[in-house]
Amino acid sequence: MLVSSSRLLRLQHVAGASKRAYHDLVTLPSQKPAISSGPPGYSAVSGHTVTVFGATGFLGRYLVSKLGKLGTQVVVPYRDEDDARVFKPMGDLGQIVRMEWDIRDEKQIAECVRHSDIVFNLVGRDYETKNFKFGDVNVDGAERIAKICTEEGVPRLVHISHLNASASSQSRFYQTKAEGEERVKAAFPSATIFRPGAMYGYEDKLLNNIAIWPIWWKLNQADTKIRPVHVLDVAQALANQVAHTIPGTTLSLPGPSTLTYEYLLDLVSSVTLRPPSRAPMLPKPIALAAAKLAQNVWWPALSPDEVMRRYIDDANVAGDWEAVGIDPTEIESHAITYLRRYRSAENYVRPTVIPPRPSPKTVLEEY
């Protein structure tokens, strides 16, 4: 039988790709093998199966994309079918497995984690609704996922908390994040906990919110200190855990610099080429009352707890970026990418002038 030269080349490529080497075999903590194959990219097979709870959220979408590019089979639990459609092009056929779930349904959670060798819990609630309070998601939901992972024999669990998680915080959100960490550790002692700072990116609630509602970022005289981190840096740090997980540790992932809201307001104004907002600063009691009233109109509106968070500085702790193999980037290098859409037509292609950075020494002395 004659074989064309092009078909012969394809057969040779497939035969070469099917060869295995010792480095293609990885022994999981459960002593089960994970065997990788195929060329690098979306069509590869890493041998790992991963579940990402909270995949439809801001961070989750980038994490699933990076995992899919590694050839990892990703189980994507979702609540809304429309939110899950974005994952279709993030992996080859059969690599992205979508499964409907509810955080209160233990059977559905068990079905989502049963075949995974690592589970990421990115689920969080930063404002309350009539159906889900802070504790329902950040505490009870986190504990439920950790407990079921233990029962199903999942080897590794990565739980996402917050940089400012503290049981003594004035913010109920930060309190429940700290309580959720303790519940997760009790149910799954070898869990790895990540504490990222406020993240920025295309769909963020930081740069976009400052550009649209600058008045809410003037609270506390705009002196609140924040350590913003790029969402892609955090997603890559999490994706690296598939190959190398540090069990039983808590890792902080703050941004590389400590900035004030005042500087971020200047940065957004400089990048968008729009004049600074002349809106006056709202007193704290009025801001809390307005936020409480807004909750009766539209759920994602600024909540009273978020108003409290605008008065709380980010934790002054060292970052653990070296442990996850990432060098975090500064917010100025990405600001134009995410803020150009807020420019007017005549200013769209004009160059960007970044405002001067505050003195690092001065910022640290104020802590």
CSV table of all heavy atoms in Angstrom, one decimal, residues 165-171 174-175 178:
chain,number,residue,atom,x,y,z
A,165,ALA,N,-7.2,39.0,55.6
A,165,ALA,CA,-8.0,38.1,56.5
A,165,ALA,C,-7.5,38.2,57.9
A,165,ALA,O,-6.4,38.0,58.2
A,165,ALA,CB,-7.8,36.7,56.0
A,166,SER,N,-8.5,38.5,58.8
A,166,SER,CA,-8.2,38.7,60.2
A,166,SER,C,-9.4,38.6,61.0
A,166,SER,O,-10.5,39.2,60.7
A,166,SER,CB,-7.5,40.1,60.5
A,166,SER,OG,-7.4,40.3,61.8
A,167,ALA,N,-9.4,37.8,62.1
A,167,ALA,CA,-10.5,37.6,63.0
A,167,ALA,C,-10.9,38.9,63.7
A,167,ALA,O,-12.0,39.0,64.2
A,167,ALA,CB,-10.2,36.5,63.9
A,168,SER,N,-9.9,39.8,63.9
A,168,SER,CA,-10.2,41.0,64.6
A,168,SER,C,-10.5,42.2,63.7
A,168,SER,O,-10.5,43.3,64.2
A,168,SER,CB,-9.0,41.3,65.5
A,168,SER,OG,-7.8,41.5,64.7
A,169,SER,N,-10.6,42.0,62.4
A,169,SER,CA,-10.9,43.1,61.5
A,169,SER,C,-12.2,43.7,61.7
A,169,SER,O,-13.2,43.1,62.2
A,169,SER,CB,-10.8,42.6,60.1
A,169,SER,OG,-11.1,43.6,59.1
A,170,GLN,N,-12.4,45.0,61.4
A,170,GLN,CA,-13.7,45.7,61.5
A,170,GLN,C,-14.6,45.2,60.3
A,170,GLN,O,-15.8,45.5,60.4
A,170,GLN,CB,-13.5,47.2,61.4
A,170,GLN,CG,-12.7,47.7,62.6
A,170,GLN,CD,-12.6,49.2,62.5
A,170,GLN,OE1,-12.7,49.8,61.5
A,170,GLN,NE2,-12.3,49.9,63.7
A,171,SER,N,-14.0,44.6,59.3
A,171,SER,CA,-14.8,44.2,58.1
A,171,SER,C,-15.3,42.8,58.3
A,171,SER,O,-14.5,41.9,58.7
A,171,SER,CB,-14.0,44.3,56.9
A,171,SER,OG,-14.6,43.6,55.8
A,174,TYR,N,-13.5,40.3,55.9
A,174,TYR,CA,-12.1,39.9,56.3
A,174,TYR,C,-12.3,38.9,57.5
A,174,TYR,O,-11.5,38.0,57.6
A,174,TYR,CB,-11.3,41.1,56.7
A,174,TYR,CG,-10.9,42.0,55.6
A,174,TYR,CD1,-10.7,43.4,55.8
A,174,TYR,CD2,-10.8,41.5,54.3
A,174,TYR,CE1,-10.4,44.2,54.7
A,174,TYR,CE2,-10.5,42.4,53.2
A,174,TYR,CZ,-10.3,43.7,53.5
A,174,TYR,OH,-9.9,44.5,52.4
A,175,GLN,N,-13.2,39.1,58.4
A,175,GLN,CA,-13.4,38.2,59.5
A,175,GLN,C,-13.8,36.8,59.0
A,175,GLN,O,-13.2,35.8,59.5
A,175,GLN,CB,-14.5,38.7,60.4
A,175,GLN,CG,-14.2,40.0,61.2
A,175,GLN,CD,-15.3,40.5,62.0
A,175,GLN,OE1,-16.3,39.8,62.2
A,175,GLN,NE2,-15.3,41.7,62.5
A,178,ALA,N,-10.9,34.9,57.4
A,178,ALA,CA,-10.0,34.3,58.5
A,178,ALA,C,-10.6,33.0,59.1
A,178,ALA,O,-10.0,32.0,59.3
A,178,ALA,CB,-9.7,35.3,59.5
